[in-house]
Amino acid sequence: MPTYARADVVFERGEGPYLYATDGRRFLDFAAGVAVNALGHAHPHLIKALTEQANKLWHTSNLFRVAGQESLATRLTQATFADTVFFTNSGAEAWECGAKLVRKYHYENGNPHKNRIITFEQAFHGRTLGAISAAKQEKLIKGFAPLLDGFDLVPFGDLDAVRNAITEETGGICIEPIQGEGGIRVASVEFLCALRELCDQHGLLLFLDEIQSGMGRTGKLFAHEWAGITPDVMAVAKGIGGGFPLGACLATEKAASGMTAGTHGSTYGGNPLATAVGNAVLDVVLEPGFLDGVQRISDVFQGRLRDLAGQFPAVFKEVRGQGLLLGLVCGPTNGDVVAKARANGLLTVPAGDNVVRVLPPLTITEAHVEEAIGILAQTAREFA
Ligand SMILES: *Cc1c(COP(=O)(O)O)cnc(C)c1O
């Protein structure tokens, strides 16, 4: 179905942060499959994990124990606030699991009426009926009514609006610590801390969507770590599989207490192939120094992007984001900037607020930063 406005380019192979098209062109890939290829393309450790697993066992279903799933769950819970994990194939499914968990938690605790979740304007949680009902953005929901009831939308960052939206029926608050699709809008540390407090005061579950912001993207394993808070439940995907379809819903034992045998499921979720790759991604991301390296290269990159914005203020009006989840607020239409940058050999991703998202692999070096800055400067000159 023609649901995508695709760029007319076909890639045949990738290597690190580079993609090679069938027509011979080479691109610096700072789209990274929309923050999915966290370790770039054809990472030797991921290839080894995938091919070794491919020679042994692909899929058995969740009727049986899955060794790779157990080890990945153990490692994720050791590295985070979580005690328990449900594996999925995608972000939307990880988010759905979290939304169902919030409802089930209150149901099992004798509060079945606490079935509403507060969500935020310009949010993105995926394309299932549940996820579009939660985000309620016009472009997501048009023509897909009736939506799922149970989501109360408030402006992003507006604490009073959150307070006023809490009723006897509220069961949780769901937020992206940094809105990705919405335009790299960063929730302040104060706001995230205040949401945590509100949840504690009112017995609500704090449900973070870290599908885009997680797995090292901001220079911490998860973006909420910057705020020093922990959620009760969290959706993860994108970078977790490094390009293999994998997602996960992480939760505390308490929050997940209603998710007992038979209450939720997935045929493929967390199968041996996916979790072999997920474990391999985690090997690299949890290596001592890796996340420090992301923070270091981010500092360099952000500094260079701010120089660029200073040089071309009509084209790049503002630099947003954290770690390597970065956005450039554009003067010209963001889609035109993305297209020109692509023609010049750099891949980026458009987002809300007329932003161009810059989401390189977490493994880039200063040389790649300089190459990207050169292409963006060339692109900016073409708008002058
Ligand atoms: C990409 C994304 C999703 C949806 O993930 P899919 O794998 O496309 O279903 C949900 N939430 C956020 C924040 C995302 O960036």
Side-chain angles (χ1 to χ4, degrees), residues 24-366:
R25 283 182 295 165
R26 186 183 87 157
F27 296 85
L28 184 58
D29 182 14
F30 279 24
V34 195
V36 166
N37 302 102
L39 305 183
H41 299 281
H43 191 288
H45 188 61
L46 303 198
I47 292 176
K48 183 162 177 285
L50 181 65
T51 50
E52 279 182 9
Q53 187 60 45
N55 281 302
K56 288 194 288 195
L57 183 66
W58 293 15
H59 179 82
T60 56
S61 88
N62 286 304
L63 295 169
F64 311 99
R65 289 176 57 187
V66 178
Q69 200 177 114
E70 292 180 7
S71 58
L72 184 55
T74 301
R75 297 172 74 194
L76 286 171
T77 54
Q78 280 170 355
T80 66
F81 73 95
D83 306 310
T84 183
V85 184
F86 181 89
F87 288 104
T88 68
N89 313 289
S90 67
E93 290 166 285
W95 183 89
E96 288 275 348
C97 178
K100 286 177 72 175
L101 177 151
V102 171
R103 290 184 175 186
K104 196 67 160 49
Y105 168 80
H106 292 291
Y107 176 87
E108 295 293 343
N109 280 286
N111 297 307
H113 58 285
K114 289 193 177 295
N115 54 24
R116 304 190 69 84
I117 298 176
I118 294 173
T119 55
F120 292 89
E121 289 173 6
Q122 285 178 245
F124 183 78
H125 301 301
R127 298 290 196 141
T128 59
L129 278 168
I132 65 172
S133 301
K136 288 194 181 74
Q137 283 196 53
E138 183 60 19
K139 65 177 182 200
L140 302 179
I141 63 177
K142 192 169 176 233
F144 294 117
L147 299 182
L148 204 62
D149 191 16
F151 300 98
D152 298 307
L153 205 64
V154 299
F156 189 74
D158 186 340
L159 194 60
D160 286 333
V162 178
R163 270 199 209 99
N164 292 332
I166 296 174
T167 69
E168 264 310 294
E169 294 179 7
T170 306
I173 300 175
C174 179
I175 188 167
E176 297 156 81
I178 300 176
Q179 288 188 335
E181 304 291 318
I184 312 296
R185 300 166 84 211
V186 183
S188 70
V189 165
E190 298 73 35
F191 188 63
L192 291 175
C193 291
L195 293 183
R196 178 67 272 174
E197 262 176 48
L198 277 179
C199 285
D200 292 342
Q201 275 167 19
H202 295 270
L204 313 179
L205 297 184
L206 182 60
F207 173 14
L208 296 184
D209 181 342
E210 290 235 28
I211 290 169
Q212 193 159 154
S213 59
M215 296 309 297
R217 180 55 53 187
T218 67
K220 299 267 191 200
L221 189 57
F222 291 101
H224 67 261
E225 294 171 31
W226 289 105
I229 57 151
T230 58
D232 303 291
V233 51
M234 176 170 75
V236 183
K238 294 208 162 90
I240 193 174
F244 201 96
L246 178 64
C249 181
L250 280 64
T252 63
E253 201 72 63
K254 181 175 173 226
S257 54
M259 304 301 279
T260 52
T263 57
H264 194 50
S266 166
T267 299
Y268 293 116
N271 87 0
L273 274 181
T275 49
V277 181
N279 271 301
V281 170
L282 213 51
D283 289 342
V284 177
V285 172
L286 292 182
E287 243 168 46
F290 182 86
L291 293 171
D292 293 337
V294 174
Q295 291 180 31
R296 212 170 316 119
I297 197 70
S298 165
D299 288 344
V300 173
F301 197 12
Q302 288 196 53
R304 298 291 284 124
L305 286 171
R306 293 211 160 82
D307 293 345
L308 185 78
Q311 212 182 332
F312 302 99
V315 180
F316 300 122
K317 295 163 71 168
E318 185 193 329
V319 181
R320 293 180 174 177
Q322 191 157 28
L324 294 175
L325 183 52
L326 298 171
L328 298 164
V329 182
C330 294
T333 305
N334 58 352
D336 295 344
V337 177
V338 168
K340 268 201 207 293
R342 185 173 64 243
N344 291 330
L346 177 71
L347 304 180
T348 56
V349 189
D353 275 4
N354 205 35
V355 161
V356 168
R357 261 181 291 179
V358 185
L359 310 166
L362 307 182
T363 48
I364 54 163
T365 64
E366 282 192 44

